[in-house]
Amino acid sequence: MTTASNGGRTRLLSPSTMGRSNRSRVLQLLLQNGPTSRAELARSLGVNRATIATILQPLIEDGRLVEGEAVAASPAGGKPARPLWFNSQGEELGSVRISSTRLTAARLSMDGTIRVAGQRTIDPSWPLPRISEHLLDLATECFDGRRLLGIGVAAAGMVDTTTGTILSLHLAPVMNGFAVADLLSSRFATSVSVDHHPRVLALGDRWFGLGRGVDHFASVYTGEALGMGIVHAGEVFRGSHGAGGEYGHIVVDLRGATCLCGRRGCWETVATVGWLRARALERGLPGGAEASCTSLAALAADGHDGARELLAEYADNLAIGLANNEHMLASQTYIMHGDVVGGGELVRSMLAERLAATAPHRDEPPTVVLDTSDEDTVLLGGGGLVLSSELATSY
């Protein structure tokens, strides 16, 4: 019997919810494998063709999927197959990323191809109306006059996913209470879904990136801030109204430095580029004030022992939070984004080694991979957020 939790109660999944979940599996398989026939989808998912037809027919009737030219039958005979794919002339997906210093937007095709993208630099000292004006200007540049299935927003800070509001953004308090969904939906007359940046990153990996076909993984963002989005049993893990997910603020040192959130010893205080640069300056490393994993890895490659030692310490600090998650949720695969990717194989191997040493010992150690597409995955995640909320799963 399949059930779901609803405010502490347990209830049966409705037929519509089960249908959306099945639709999600089919759409993700298409994105993973490319144009695919009904028969191939049925074989891959272990169901009969009638079941696949029931799932696909609404998407074909509304023009979101189209049938390609018939492919010749195999030598063994049979009816020629007509592979299904996303309609290139149909609706598009809107994507927005909001951080304390930058706004980014893109318009995507249903298969995740970025057709148009742009950005605006903002200042966290600006009043909110000025930031809103820049956001609308950028969104108009990307979305105006287009048929959008919806707009997905990746927002830094704490969010309320039911109202589409940024609740709190430590690096730009002016955006506390920013009703992003209301602003964009009133301008573009389409649905707008807002979620926490690391979770949208995980959706980018899940729908279009390194997490396709993986039911359990974590997407980790490193940079000025630290975040982690969890995909557990094929779904992005979130609390009520989008609560939780503030992994950068799990406490790793009760006597550690004070975090921007006001707590002491948050993981973010020892595993961001701010910490990295402070330590590089203390140790007199070349370019310490602008240090990054990229610059330190280059120094290490030239034989600078101090740079290698600092990167090893940074990997230790990052592994603390990953190992804690491995003890709790056993995500097993960690897709790294942001600054740490610039460290290349040197930092990846350091992180994998330290995570394997501190995580529970199972048959296979956790896997650490680097996503080199950087900003694109977040924008793809905005598209994945639209697909999840409008077509695929109960959001």
Side-chain angles (χ1 to χ4, degrees):
M1 182 180 295
T2 305
T3 62
S5 175
N6 180 22
R9 294 173 293 168
T10 300
R11 58 178 172 79
L12 291 174
L13 285 176
S14 68
S16 63
T17 301
M18 291 181 67
R20 290 167 73 89
S21 181
N22 288 335
R23 197 152 55 242
S24 174
R25 291 174 180 270
V26 171
L27 291 173
Q28 287 172 0
L29 192 60
L30 276 174
L31 289 168
Q32 181 176 325
N33 296 338
T36 309
S37 70
R38 291 175 175 82
E40 290 170 322
L41 287 169
R43 283 195 296 271
S44 296
L45 294 169
V47 297
N48 59 45
R49 292 183 63 172
T51 300
I52 284 293
T54 300
I55 296 169
L56 291 173
Q57 198 57 38
L59 296 172
I60 296 172
E61 289 176 354
D62 65 20
R64 285 164 179 154
L65 294 180
V66 292
E67 292 182 301
E69 295 295 325
V71 177
S74 70
K79 183 179 179 181
R82 300 192 68 180
L84 292 159
W85 191 238
F86 297 91
N87 185 358
S88 62
Q89 304 303 313
E91 294 169 310
E92 296 174 294
L93 311 173
S95 179
V96 172
R97 180 188 179 188
I98 299 175
S99 72
S100 60
T101 60
R102 187 167 50 153
L103 307 171
T104 313
R107 192 178 74 248
L108 292 70
S109 62
M110 294 283 280
D111 65 0
T113 301
I114 296 178
R115 291 177 168 171
V116 173
Q119 65 178 28
R120 297 286 188 279
T121 298
I122 59 174
D123 192 307
S125 67
W126 287 354
L128 186 58
R130 186 176 179 185
I131 293 173
S132 299
E133 181 182 345
H134 275 67
L135 177 57
L136 286 176
D137 179 59
L138 173 62
T140 298
E141 179 183 295
C142 292
F143 307 147
D144 206 32
R146 312 300 298 195
R147 279 199 307 131
L148 298 178
L149 176 61
I151 299 172
V153 180
M158 294 174 58
V159 301
D160 185 329
T161 56
T162 58
T163 63
T165 303
I166 297 176
L167 298 177
S168 175
L169 179 51
H170 298 310
L171 294 175
V174 68
M175 283 193 257
N176 293 355
F178 186 11
V180 180
D182 287 346
L183 178 72
L184 292 174
S185 62
S186 62
R187 171 63 181 81
F188 297 101
T190 190
S191 63
V192 178
S193 300
V194 179
D195 209 338
H196 188 39
H197 169 271
R199 287 196 292 256
V200 178
L201 190 63
L203 282 168
D205 283 326
R206 175 64 169 153
W207 280 96
F208 304 111
L210 296 174
R212 285 187 299 184
V214 183
D215 283 339
H216 299 270
F217 69 87
S219 296
V220 186
Y221 177 79
T222 63
E224 297 293 341
L226 176 65
M228 185 159 64
I230 306 293
V231 169
H232 192 71
E235 301 293 338
V236 172
F237 188 82
R238 60 172 66 83
S240 176
H241 303 285
E246 294 288 336
Y247 291 97
H249 298 287
I250 58 174
V251 175
V252 297
D253 184 357
L254 289 173
R255 297 177 178 81
T258 301
C259 181
L260 286 173
C261 72
R263 298 175 182 86
R264 184 177 291 276
C266 292
W267 187 26
E268 196 167 281
T269 63
V270 296
T272 58
V273 293
W275 179 91
L276 198 65
R277 288 167 182 165
R279 295 300 175 273
L281 280 170
E282 287 176 3
R283 301 176 189 191
L285 297 183
E290 302 297 327
S292 65
C293 282
T294 301
S295 65
L296 291 171
L299 285 172
D302 287 338
H304 198 298
D305 291 338
R308 179 180 288 270
E309 289 167 3
L310 181 54
L311 285 174
E313 189 175 346
Y314 191 50
D316 283 335
N317 293 350
L318 280 168
I320 293 171
L322 303 187
N324 285 342
N325 179 70
E326 196 61 20
H327 280 277
M328 291 184 289
L329 294 178
S331 295
Q332 191 65 15
T333 297
Y334 292 85
I335 304 173
M336 308 302 297
H337 300 265
D339 179 73
V340 75
V341 176
E345 177 57 23
L346 173 63
V347 174
R348 191 212 65 80
S349 61
M350 286 178 171
L351 189 53
E353 177 186 336
R354 285 152 175 78
L355 177 56
T358 51
H361 294 168
R362 302 188 181 93
D363 291 340
E364 294 291 334
T367 299
V368 177
V369 296
L370 305 180
D371 177 19
T372 58
S373 61
D374 195 27
E375 185 78 17
D376 283 356
T377 304
V378 183
L379 294 176
L380 293 174
L385 182 55
V386 175
L387 290 173
S388 295
S389 56
E390 295 301 314
L391 295 183
T393 58
S394 180
Y395 186 71

